[in-house]
Amino acid sequence: MAKLGVVPIKADFTQPSDLIQKWLDRYERGGVPMYVVLPADPAKPPFLLPEALLPGIVIDALRKAAQN
């Protein structure tokens, strides 16, 4: 993550949160976990990852998101 300049953000949904619910609604997810990779270029669409992650899925999304 550091090599690609990724800034991780973690949201805790153990207590109700309107902000987290808005993100879930935005990406049409019914709950957590939800993994979204926001590209370095804000003009590009985000990558919504599956609930069950494999290292290759995450690495591929991070590399694509880091590309300009």
Side-chain angles (χ1 to χ4, degrees):
M1 292 177 92
K3 184 177 179 181
L4 296 173
V6 173
V7 177
I9 299 171
K10 179 181 176 182
D12 183 353
F13 202 44
T14 55
Q15 299 294 320
S17 166
D18 291 339
L19 180 59
I20 295 172
Q21 189 60 56
K22 286 179 185 178
W23 277 84
L24 290 169
D25 293 344
R26 179 180 183 179
Y27 294 104
E28 299 178 350
R29 289 291 174 104
V32 293
M34 182 179 80
Y35 305 102
V36 180
V37 176
L38 303 172
D41 180 353
K44 293 183 180 178
F47 299 93
L48 186 60
L49 304 183
E51 293 173 0
L53 296 176
L54 297 173
I57 292 170
V58 176
I59 293 167
D60 184 50
L62 293 176
R63 285 185 178 147
K64 288 178 182 176
Q67 294 174 351
N68 292 323

